[in-house]
Amino acid sequence: MNNYLSYAGALLTMAAAATKYLAARRSGRPRTRARQFLILGLLLLSAALALGAPASLQLAQGYEAVPNLARLIGDVLAMGAAYCMLVLSTMAPGRDPHPQRRITGHAAVFLVGAVTMSFLLDLANTAPTTAFVATYGGDPLIDLYLAIYAGYLSWGMVTFHRLGRRYFHAPSTTIIARAGFRVTQLGLCFGYLWLLTRAIDVLAQHTGWPIGTPSIGATVLPVLCAWLVASGVTFPEWMPPLLRSRTAWHLLRPVAHLRVLVALALITLLWRPLVRAFPEVVVDVSSCGGAAMLYRRVIEIRDVQLRLAPYVHPDAQLVAAKRSQREPTDEHSLAVFEAAALATGLDAFRARREHPSTDGPVVDYVDHDRIVATPFDEARHLAAVAVAFRFSRTVRFVRRSLCPIAVHAAAAVASCRS
């Protein structure tokens, strides 16, 4: 069973590399270094899975000059795949002004780690075995070997995970690409779980406690990681043709309807208090579907936002930025800042107090051109604004700090508590 899973994972990962290569040739795209490193990383991961299968290790025992040499080669290949992840993250636009220097540093760390693991395995004087961790997990030299291996893999996966989160919020990212990023990140989570099980097995060897993990997890978890990562990075290539089929359209239609209903429920948290202040913006439509209702409420919220512009406190977003201590390029921060501006504008409108325009510099944190790619993306962003408007502590702090002083104290207290 473990052999079938390992070889199937190797074949799928190799097919993913071929898919990325053929997709680039068909579309006439230039051969970028990032794409080349992605294909190389998939090939190295495929070779590591094939060489790490129990059948491959048993076959190599009769030919290897040094015991467990095949395992060492497989581990170094997996580290090579992690190195490619690090290179991809370094070469991302805006990531580093001097990527070549950082890439060279990553290569140096990789070579030092591989050479150190080779010396540790030679000094440990191990015998050929397929149950490597269970047999030698109590040896300090092997523990250091495994620590270098797991640490480098964790470094590469975490860095690649953060890169996926960054591209998830990019303006050019489509819904298909976002789904691919989610699949990739799910695969990386299985990789984290696999490294955790290896650490638990080593701890069990030192403590003697019966906390070991099932042996099948040593194969299933890394294979699941490879499957999902390979499927995620090639998702934009193989999913669009699949979606054009009539069967897939019928299967995914309930999922799309559910997404609209969830976004509609979230956006109502913001829409309701705004239309109470400006009921004239609501368009009376006798019959309207879920998607049309969602986009209609998006337009109505934007209409109210324009009417509240003279009432928004000029320091609302700056106060929210200082309070939240987040980067203004993060989409969650953009939603919080926009919610803070809407909240102060609504409070000032209820108090009938306009804020004169200032000539000083204004920091525009709400960069809609960066986060909006489709109408549903606009609704998804406003859903995040609605959640921040109702539940964010930062927004509540901004409202308390910038609460307008009305002519009548009672009206001011009522507007601040609403």
Side-chain angles (χ1 to χ4, degrees):
M1 181 64 178
N2 291 343
N3 292 321
Y4 292 128
L5 290 174
S6 297
Y7 292 138
L11 290 175
L12 181 60
T13 310
M14 186 177 297
T19 301
K20 298 296 289 187
Y21 177 76
L22 294 177
R25 292 195 60 181
R26 284 195 300 266
S27 61
R29 298 174 183 174
R31 293 185 179 181
T32 61
R33 293 186 63 191
R35 182 175 292 271
Q36 292 175 356
F37 272 105
L38 177 59
I39 295 174
L40 176 61
L42 292 173
L43 292 176
L44 291 175
L45 184 59
S46 175
L49 288 173
L51 194 56
S56 299
L57 294 176
Q58 291 178 356
L59 180 63
Q61 288 177 4
Y63 301 96
E64 56 190 10
V66 179
N68 297 306
L69 179 62
R71 179 177 296 277
L72 173 65
I73 295 175
D75 293 344
V76 172
L77 290 175
M79 291 172 60
Y83 167 73
C84 292
M85 293 181 182
L86 292 171
V87 172
L88 283 173
S89 303
T90 304
M91 297 176 63
R95 179 67 173 83
D96 194 330
H98 305 287
Q100 189 59 46
R101 183 175 56 188
R102 189 177 291 271
I103 291 172
T104 304
H106 291 328
V109 174
F110 167 69
L111 292 176
V112 170
V115 172
T116 304
M117 289 168 58
S118 303
F119 278 113
L120 290 174
L121 185 63
D122 183 60
L123 292 175
N125 195 20
T126 59
T129 178
T130 56
F132 188 73
V133 177
T135 305
Y136 296 105
D139 191 335
L141 295 176
I142 298 301
D143 291 344
L144 184 57
Y145 171 98
L146 295 174
I148 295 174
Y149 174 62
Y152 195 87
L153 292 186
S154 300
W155 182 27
M157 290 191 298
V158 169
T159 305
F160 195 64
H161 197 137
R162 295 176 60 186
L163 176 68
R165 287 178 57 86
R166 177 183 175 186
Y167 275 95
F168 185 86
H169 301 299
S172 59
T173 305
T174 62
I175 295 178
I176 298 294
R178 286 198 181 97
F181 285 136
R182 291 192 184 279
V183 174
T184 302
Q185 291 175 351
L186 179 61
L188 293 176
C189 290
F190 278 106
Y192 303 146
L193 185 59
W194 170 64
L195 293 176
L196 179 61
T197 59
R198 298 292 84 188
I200 291 175
D201 289 339
V202 172
L203 182 63
Q205 294 291 326
H206 284 278
T207 60
W209 296 342
I211 56 175
T213 58
S215 59
I216 192 173
T219 303
V220 173
L221 292 177
V223 169
L224 282 176
C225 174
W227 282 359
L228 292 173
V229 169
S231 300
V233 297
T234 57
F235 201 84
E237 280 77 22
W238 59 266
M239 180 53 74
L242 183 62
L243 291 177
R244 297 189 190 106
S245 64
R246 194 172 185 84
T247 302
W249 185 81
H250 284 294
L251 291 176
L252 295 177
R253 187 177 180 182
V255 178
H257 184 64
L258 180 61
R259 293 176 73 236
V260 170
L261 292 179
V262 172
L264 186 60
L266 292 176
I267 210 172
T268 304
L269 297 174
L270 177 64
W271 175 83
R272 197 178 301 278
L274 294 182
V275 298
R276 284 176 182 171
F278 296 91
E280 63 273 13
V281 303
V282 180
V283 180
D284 188 10
V285 180
S286 56
S287 61
C288 187
M293 176 79 73
L294 179 64
Y295 300 150
R296 194 191 78 189
R297 292 192 173 180
V298 168
I299 295 173
E300 292 168 355
I301 290 174
R302 292 307 187 195
D303 193 2
V304 174
Q305 191 173 24
L306 290 176
R307 300 186 182 209
L308 286 177
Y311 299 94
V312 174
H313 198 285
D315 297 331
Q317 293 179 353
L318 291 174
V319 174
K322 293 179 181 178
R323 175 70 176 182
S324 63
Q325 298 295 323
R326 291 179 180 269
E327 293 292 334
T329 55
D330 183 71
E331 186 182 5
H332 175 74
S333 298
L334 296 179
V336 172
F337 302 154
E338 187 169 354
L342 279 172
T344 58
L346 189 60
D347 291 342
F349 172 77
R350 290 170 177 169
R352 298 297 186 269
R353 178 180 180 181
E354 296 187 15
H355 293 282
S357 59
T358 59
D359 297 332
V362 177
V363 180
D364 184 13
Y365 289 102
V366 188
D367 186 3
H368 297 290
D369 293 336
R370 192 189 67 82
I371 59 178
V372 178
T374 65
F376 188 82
D377 287 339
E378 176 80 2
R380 187 177 63 87
H381 171 69
L382 284 181
V385 174
V387 173
F389 182 86
R390 295 296 297 271
F391 304 110
S392 174
R393 296 182 179 178
T394 300
V395 174
R396 289 198 293 268
F397 172 80
V398 173
R399 296 182 79 171
R400 290 193 304 267
S401 302
L402 305 178
C403 181
I405 302 176
V407 177
H408 302 286
V413 173
S415 66
C416 292
R417 290 181 178 177
S418 61

